[in-house]
Every structure is written in C-alpha cells, then in structure tokens.
Amino acid sequence: MVPFGGYSMPVQYSDLSVGESHHWTRQKASLFDVSHMVQYHISGPGAEGLLMKLTPAALPALPVHQSTLSAFLHPGTGGIVDDTVITRLGPELFYVVTNAGCRDKDAKFLTESVEAWQAQGYPSVVLTPLGGQGLIALQGPQAAGILGGVLEDPTAINLKEFYFGQSRYLQLHLPSGKGSEKVLVSRGGYTGEDGFEISIPPTQTVEITELLLNSAGSERLRLAGLGARDSLRLEAGMCLYGHDLDDTTTPVEGGLSWVIGKDRRTEGGFNGAETIIPQLTPRSKGGKGVTRRRVGLVVEGAPAREGAEIVDTDGTSIGRVTSGCPSPTLKKNVAMGYVKDGKHKSGTELAVVVRGKRRKATVTKMPFVPSKYCKAGAPPA
C-alpha cells in the first residue's frame, strides 16, 4: 500500500505479482478500484459554454452519452491544468472525471472559473463534486462477458454495439435478487484493453465490486493495483499527469493535438488558444510549431526511469524521460519522454543515460502494444 492522491492505494494484491497481474489483464480481466479519481457534474444553461472556454473540445457535436478525452487549459500559456474525460449526459449536463493528484488544484481552477464566468453575466453553471461516489474499472478481453452476466435486464443493452467512448445508465442484478441503483457504465479505460468504467453510488460501491468478483470467479477476474495499472497504461502510450503532462505543457507539445476540435482550430475561443493554434502548424510549414515533443522510446539494456537524460548520437542533451518501465508484454524496456523538435520522428536513434551509461534508445510510435478498444466497424476480438 502506498499514499496516492490522498488515499492509501494498493500497488499489488497478494495473489499475483505486478507482472502476473499485467498479463492477467491482457489475457482475462482485472478490476481496478479507481474511486480516488475525482468525479463532477457540471450543469446548467452555461455548462457547455464554460467547458468550451476551459477546454479545446468540440462539445456542440458531442451526442448524449458520448465522452471525449480533453484537457483543462491555463489562460494565455495553454498549459495543461489537468487531463480529463468529459461525458455529455444531457443538453445541460456533463459528467467530468479528473485526476486525484490534482484534486485541490482542479477544484480551485473550476470554482474560480465558474465564478468568473457568472460574474461576466453568462448563463448559470452549477459545479457539483460527486463526493463518495465509487469508480471501478473492469478491464480485459473477458470484461464484456463478465458485465453482461450481472445485468438486471440483459436486453437493456447490446454490448456488441456499445462502443468505446459511449456510456449508459444500467442496473446490475444483486445477490439479494433486486436491481442495483442505476450505475453509469462507460466503455473505455486506462489499459489499452477493452473494458468499462463504472460510477457507483456510495452505498453500493462495495456490494457491486463484490458482485463482479464473485460472479466472474477468480479464474476470470482478479483485483489489480497501481503497479499493473502503470505498466499497462505506458504500453498503451497513455500519459500520467504530473509526469508526462504538467502546467507548462501544451496539448501540441504533449502529442495531444487530436483533442483540439476541428472547428476550434480556426475559431479558437478557449484558454490559451492564442498560444496553441500557432503551434499546430510546424515551423517547416511556416507556423510557430513547438520546440519539444513527447515521444515513445524502446531502450536497450537497463530500463530508463523518469528523469533520465535523453541525448542524441553526439551526446548532446535533447530531453528527459517522463515515464519508463520494462514492458511485460514486449519483454523490452519502454519509455516516454520529451525531445527536441526534429528528433521526434519514428526510427530516430538516440540514447538514454542510465546510471551514468548511455543506453541505445529508438524513437517508436505509440501505443507500444496495439489497443483493443471496441469500436464501430472494428472486427470482433
């Protein structure tokens, strides 16, 4: 157990090592307790407008029960306050999940943003933290079968046509024979595998967690901790805030330009647009571009950890590693970091300094391990 985001969190459980838990998730299914994440409802006639100011998301085109990965941005600099997932639950209601490590900073940012918004006479917004709300992540190739087996009404949803990024309110069949309170089930997660994140009212979080574990059995589903969560997300090429992203990093530098809506690239209107939009056009094409870029690396020899120096073939320092670990799936050492613009292209040979020695590192496209999300038009797994 380790302190994390104000909670005591498990690195691993006693039945599996971190590596075994990692493989279990890829082969069967794991259940992660992510209730430390911060959940909000942002509602009211001004909710969409405020979120359009704070993020570069194209929210008018977002259907009900569809989510989008986005980022809260600082005014002016365009630095990332936090990465977030935004789900539209209604015309004037959004469900927002943010990181536990940014709890206090995000609360201050959102509260002050709402106050400033309303002080300017814009339509009202209500910010509601969902205190005590549970959140569990069911991840892995057997996740859909496990969830389907505990639905109160199996005809309520066709899981084969319930795609990545979508959500629904569903009831689960409890051992008492009664249906649970409605839980918000979102298809997605942080592992690169197919799976679901389930937001649960506080009174039933433990009961529903036990329901999933008991109904699936230990041959299909096991609990997993932060250790496997970190190696899985790194193989999937996903950022960890405070390491791969921070207040000084813009979405373009962080390789997250795709979170900027197409219309927003010309219309702007979001925090930091004056900095970010010019960055979208590389210097080679007459734009401002960026001076550094987030890349994936495969490292030979010893694994490169956060903070390790990245150098070019001449030994000149060009960046730092922000995340790194041995990849249980690839049986190679993988890392993520920032390098000087121009050194970011896939196949570029670099080196990482590990314990005073240079280790060969090759810039590699991410994700390192292909993602297995359930998407429309994708062949069944």
Side-chain angles (χ1 to χ4, degrees):
M1 304 292 286
V2 296
F4 186 84
Y7 289 80
S8 183
M9 298 288 294
V11 174
Q12 68 181 88
Y13 291 85
S14 59
D15 58 336
L16 296 173
S17 68
V18 171
E20 289 169 339
S21 183
H22 179 109
H23 289 306
W24 189 277
T25 309
R26 294 255 185 257
Q27 295 163 7
K28 298 186 179 184
S30 292
L31 194 65
F32 299 81
D33 178 6
V34 290
S35 300
H36 61 293
M37 302 288 282
V38 187
Q39 303 173 70
Y40 291 97
H41 279 164
I42 299 179
S43 59
E48 180 181 288
L50 174 65
L51 287 170
M52 291 275 283
K53 176 176 173 58
L54 304 184
T55 77
L59 295 180
L62 190 69
V64 173
H65 278 302
Q66 184 73 40
S67 64
T68 182
L69 180 66
S70 192
F72 290 121
L73 303 174
H74 286 289
T77 66
I80 298 173
V81 179
D82 198 4
D83 58 307
T84 184
V85 177
I86 302 172
T87 304
R88 184 188 287 277
L89 295 180
E92 297 181 355
L93 175 61
F94 294 87
Y95 168 65
V96 175
V97 181
T98 61
N99 287 299
C102 299
R103 181 183 305 273
D104 294 340
K105 180 180 73 169
D106 289 349
K108 183 175 185 291
F109 173 80
L110 290 170
T111 300
E112 291 179 352
S113 296
V114 170
E115 291 172 350
W117 174 264
Q118 296 188 156
Q120 296 176 65
Y122 292 121
S124 64
V125 176
V126 178
L127 176 68
T128 308
L130 304 181
Q133 188 86 350
L135 189 64
I136 55 176
L138 175 63
Q139 300 282 292
Q142 295 193 25
I146 292 168
L147 177 64
V150 297
L151 293 176
E152 172 70 7
D153 178 5
T155 66
I157 188 167
N158 180 357
L159 292 177
K160 292 182 179 179
E161 296 180 358
F162 180 42
Y163 300 121
F164 178 82
Q166 295 181 342
S167 67
R168 293 290 186 276
Y169 279 108
L170 298 171
Q171 281 187 296
L172 307 185
H173 186 74
L174 300 176
S176 64
K178 297 179 180 179
S180 70
E181 295 183 53
K182 286 188 176 182
V183 297
L184 182 65
V185 178
S186 304
R187 196 151 202 169
Y190 197 50
T191 64
E193 292 292 327
D194 182 27
F196 307 87
E197 293 190 339
I198 307 171
S199 180
I200 312 169
T203 56
Q204 293 191 330
T205 303
V206 172
E207 188 175 12
I208 287 175
T209 300
E210 291 177 341
L211 167 70
L212 289 165
L213 290 167
N214 293 335
S215 64
S218 61
E219 293 307 307
R220 290 200 293 163
L221 181 64
R222 301 281 185 95
L223 288 165
L226 292 178
R229 182 171 165 85
D230 194 52
S231 56
L232 288 160
R233 71 90 190 169
L234 184 52
E235 286 186 349
M238 295 181 180
C239 298
L240 178 62
Y241 192 88
H243 301 262
D244 311 301
L245 302 172
D246 60 26
D247 296 287
T248 69
T249 308
T250 69
V252 183
E253 292 172 320
L256 299 176
S257 297
W258 53 271
V259 306
I260 305 169
K262 183 178 179 181
D263 292 346
R264 313 223 63 197
R265 295 170 180 234
T266 52
E267 296 172 359
F270 55 89
N271 284 356
E274 65 271 35
T275 298
I276 292 169
I277 292 176
Q279 291 180 340
L280 290 167
T281 304
R283 284 178 290 179
S284 61
K285 295 183 179 180
K288 184 176 180 180
V290 292
T291 59
R292 59 174 183 151
R293 292 176 180 265
R294 179 173 64 91
V295 298
L297 299 166
V298 172
V299 183
E300 295 184 6
R305 305 292 185 179
E306 180 179 0
E309 184 181 24
I310 304 171
V311 299
D312 63 15
T313 51
D314 295 327
T316 302
S317 180
I318 59 167
R320 293 277 174 182
V321 170
T322 53
S323 290
C325 73
S327 163
T329 303
L330 301 176
K331 294 180 171 52
K332 298 177 181 179
N333 298 315
V334 298
M336 193 185 295
Y338 284 82
V339 299
K340 183 179 178 181
D341 182 50
K343 301 291 185 178
H344 65 283
K345 295 180 181 178
S346 181
T348 302
E349 298 292 336
L350 303 172
V352 176
V353 181
V354 181
R355 293 193 288 274
K357 295 183 178 180
R358 290 188 201 172
R359 307 287 183 178
K360 183 179 176 181
T362 305
V363 177
T364 307
K365 289 183 179 180
M366 294 184 285
F368 297 104
V369 175
S371 298
K372 299 174 184 175
Y373 305 127
C374 178
K375 293 188 174 183

